[in-house]
Amino acid sequence: MNTTAILRASKHLKTNLEGGLILSDYTRQIITIINYNIIGALINLCGTVANILNIATFIRQGFADSMTVSLMGLALSDLGCLITLQWLNLCFNPLFRYAPGLPFESFELEYLTAGWPHVCFARVTGLITAYITMERCLCIAMPLKVKMLITPKRTSIVITAIFILVFCSAAPVFTVILADWKFYPERNKTLLGVVFAPNRAEVETVAFAFNNLYGYIAMISVTIFTIILVINLKSNSKWRQGTSTASSSESKNEATTRDKRVVKMVVTISTMFVVCFFPITAVVVGTMVEPGFGKGGRYRNIYHSICSLCYAMETVNAAANFPIYMKMSSRFRVAFNTLWCKPCGGDVDSGMKKSGE
């Protein structure tokens, strides 16, 4: 009996390895449920609330400087990331998928209503993060010219253009992937799913190429600008210390401290972005190198498991900015306290002027 069980196990293992299923379907399902429906969902809920607070606080601050405009755009894109990811988490939940009376196939509809919208918001987040690091880098490198070069109005135009560019590049996908009623023999039901146009492969290939390009540009730009930012800040600080006089040393030291505080916040945001988005970037490269590493390939279970972890990390990135702002920006703290904790907030205008951020 034991020999028979061993032979069956060996045969099952051999079948899995021949089919590329190094990870079983059952194990994959457990991993994805944990990452999507427990870890991801909880962080997502906190992040959604945090970004709503961010948006309200930035509105309270006003948009007199370009950095606030940029951070507002980042908060909006992060909120879009979290909402689409939460819908994706729900669609991947087996309890939701097989709920009695549910009129659609969530595994399919997710691709159209959560997958592509999330990809777009994630690319917007990356490009805005790149713009923020570039903006702060210019503030350190060209402090006398940057105010004329980067204004709140121009920043608003850039942020709006990023949203339009990314979503327009993905818009053709929604002309070749449509929601329609289909019969599912394995469930003996007619449900709302997705149908594909004949030219779906060609259109998606172009859309994926553009979106992947945006991701690479964002990742490389954020890394380069962050390095330049740190180097310029150090050299600028040494120059200020060397040229300070007795009458102006105090004001210059305050300016240096303020610059360091803002740069530290931007570096933290950009580092968080690189760390959280690098895994999904590596996965995209992996799908191009190994054809079997994809949704329907030999290593599909490993692919889905890794993707669920990558999405959880993206959720962390979208949710982490609020505590960063609260810790590193006194201007944000003053505006937040005045908006939500008025008894302890004091006068926001005087507090902002005093903070100087």
Side-chain angles (χ1 to χ4, degrees):
M1 184 173 179
N2 290 337
T3 304
T4 303
I6 292 174
L7 289 174
R8 286 179 179 175
S10 299
K11 184 177 180 180
H12 179 69
L13 177 61
K14 182 179 179 182
T15 301
N16 276 350
L17 291 175
E18 288 175 350
L21 300 180
I22 299 175
L23 198 68
S24 68
D25 292 339
Y26 179 76
T27 303
R28 182 205 73 185
Q29 188 176 34
I30 295 299
I31 293 173
T32 54
I33 287 176
I34 292 174
N35 287 333
Y36 284 131
N37 304 127
I38 300 177
I39 298 176
L42 290 176
I43 299 175
N44 198 306
L45 181 61
C46 296
T48 300
V49 174
N51 275 285
I52 292 173
L53 294 177
N54 285 342
I55 293 170
T57 304
F58 289 138
I59 293 174
R60 180 65 183 89
Q61 282 185 216
F63 302 103
D65 65 280
S66 58
M67 178 60 71
T68 304
V69 176
S70 299
L71 294 178
M72 179 67 171
L74 184 62
L76 290 172
S77 63
D78 281 343
L79 183 60
C81 282
L82 291 169
I83 291 174
T84 51
L85 270 178
Q86 194 72 304
W87 173 237
L88 183 145
N89 294 337
L90 186 62
C91 288
F92 279 143
N93 190 331
L95 296 177
F96 178 75
R97 182 190 183 190
Y98 297 108
L102 193 69
F104 56 86
E105 173 51 76
S106 64
F107 272 25
E108 288 189 8
L109 215 59
E110 164 276 324
Y111 185 69
L112 186 65
T113 60
W116 268 104
H118 170 72
V119 168
C120 291
F121 279 116
R123 297 297 176 262
V124 170
T125 290
L127 293 176
I128 292 178
T129 304
Y131 179 80
I132 290 173
T133 55
M134 180 199 71
E135 176 187 8
R136 189 46 47 179
C137 183
L138 291 176
C139 285
I140 300 299
M142 301 185 301
L144 301 179
K145 298 181 180 179
V146 72
K147 292 295 183 181
M148 295 183 293
L149 180 64
I150 300 179
T151 63
K153 183 177 180 180
R154 290 176 181 174
T155 297
S156 301
I157 294 173
V158 171
I159 299 299
T160 304
I162 290 174
F163 273 94
I164 294 174
L165 176 66
V166 172
F167 277 89
C168 284
S169 66
V173 172
F174 295 88
T175 65
V176 295
I177 304 177
L178 305 171
D180 202 357
W181 295 97
K182 295 164 54 178
F183 180 73
Y184 294 84
E186 69 278 5
R187 298 178 65 177
N188 194 30
K189 284 184 178 181
T190 297
L191 300 170
L192 187 66
V194 295
V195 294
F196 304 107
N199 61 334
R200 172 234 178 164
E202 293 83 357
V203 173
E204 272 200 313
T205 299
V206 175
F208 272 123
F210 273 106
N211 277 274
N212 290 339
L213 179 62
Y214 298 148
Y216 300 143
I217 291 174
M219 184 68 65
I220 295 171
S221 298
V222 170
T223 303
I224 293 175
F225 285 135
T226 301
I227 294 172
I228 295 174
L229 184 63
V230 174
I231 294 174
N232 283 340
L233 177 66
K234 289 182 178 179
S235 61
N236 207 8
S237 297
K238 290 180 180 178
W239 176 82
R240 279 176 174 166
Q241 290 174 2
T243 58
S244 61
T245 62
S247 60
S248 62
S249 59
E250 184 177 350
S251 61
K252 288 186 176 181
N253 286 336
E254 288 178 358
T256 301
T257 302
R258 184 169 62 251
D259 286 342
K260 285 183 178 180
R261 191 162 54 241
V262 176
V263 167
K264 185 178 179 181
M265 182 183 75
V266 173
V267 169
T268 303
I269 293 172
S270 59
T271 302
M272 179 72 69
F273 168 78
V274 171
V275 170
C276 292
F277 275 84
F278 178 78
I280 193 64
T281 304
V283 167
V284 172
V285 175
T287 58
M288 294 187 290
V289 174
E290 172 54 60
F293 185 67
K295 287 190 174 183
R298 296 176 59 206
Y299 308 109
R300 58 186 177 274
N301 286 341
I302 296 178
Y303 169 82
H304 285 293
S305 299
I306 294 177
C307 282
S308 68
L309 178 61
C310 291
Y311 281 136
M313 294 185 70
E314 287 186 27
T315 305
V316 172
N317 177 76
N321 285 342
F322 175 75
I324 293 175
Y325 300 151
M326 287 295 290
K327 183 175 179 60
M328 299 183 179
S329 174
S330 57
R331 187 172 182 230
F332 182 89
R333 284 196 302 272
V334 170
F336 178 84
N337 288 335
T338 302
L339 184 61
W340 304 106
C341 312
K342 290 187 177 180
C344 61
D347 182 7
V348 67
D349 296 322
S350 61
M352 287 180 184
K353 291 177 182 178
K354 184 178 179 181
S355 68
E357 292 180 29

